[in-house]
Amino acid sequence: MNMSFLDKWRKRLHVEHPVPLADSVRADPGSVVELLSECELLRAQADSAGVELDDSAGSLEALDQLQPVWRDDPEVVPWLGNDAGLYLGTVLVRTVHGAVWEVRSDGQPVVRLASGREIDVVATGHAWADVGAPELSQVYAEVAES
């Protein structure tokens, strides 16, 4: 089936020379931090439950208290887990001295601490969305005191 509007849409999305995320982090870390902190699905879930995500450790505690209604929708869980991990990373980068976003060679965003320790926040977010453990606030507390 030929749908010309799809061809035009695909051409618009085509990028001749995509810039790897790792290069973007080095070139403009502020805009990458903003991109990684969007977490639209998580923010919508939190907002519908009356939880404000203000990039603080307290907001992680509030997320841990949410009823996991998203687990009823297997299509939402991976997206929400990704957002939860990126939000955890955002809170770490904004509140823990020396914590920065870094992108692995495989494209996975992680948080690197001043000590050199690497936190795979996305994997943590997926575990939280899937089973509720580890709690996001618990991970934050462990990382913040190290």
Side-chain angles (χ1 to χ4, degrees):
M1 180 185 297
N2 185 10
M3 293 184 218
S4 61
F5 72 92
L6 283 178
D7 293 335
K8 291 176 187 173
W9 179 73
R10 286 184 185 121
K11 285 179 187 174
R12 260 196 351 235
L13 293 178
H14 179 70
V15 177
E16 282 298 317
H17 303 287
V19 178
L21 187 56
D23 292 345
S24 298
V25 170
R26 285 188 287 280
D28 188 5
S31 65
V32 173
V33 167
E34 288 304 312
L35 175 68
L36 295 175
S37 70
E38 285 181 5
C39 314
E40 286 184 43
L41 181 60
L42 181 69
R43 289 183 189 278
Q45 286 279 342
D47 188 49
S48 69
V51 173
E52 180 186 357
L53 299 186
D54 60 0
D55 299 346
S56 69
S59 65
L60 294 172
E61 292 174 13
L63 283 173
D64 288 336
Q65 300 305 311
L66 290 179
Q67 291 296 319
V69 294
W70 58 85
R71 292 189 192 136
D72 295 336
D73 188 346
E75 290 184 20
V76 170
V77 172
W79 292 101
L80 191 73
N82 196 61
D83 275 9
L86 294 177
Y87 184 71
L88 171 62
T90 297
V91 174
L92 289 169
V93 167
R94 291 190 174 160
T95 62
V96 175
H97 181 71
V100 295
W101 281 110
E102 191 168 290
V103 180
R104 292 182 187 160
S105 60
D106 64 358
Q108 180 74 14
V110 296
V111 172
R112 181 161 308 275
L113 304 177
S115 66
R117 180 177 169 204
E118 186 178 277
I119 311 298
D120 188 345
V121 291
V122 174
T124 300
H126 281 281
W128 175 83
D130 288 339
V131 296
E135 290 184 338
L136 300 175
S137 60
Q138 183 180 23
V139 173
Y140 176 85
E142 180 221 318
V143 169
E145 67 184 36
S146 64

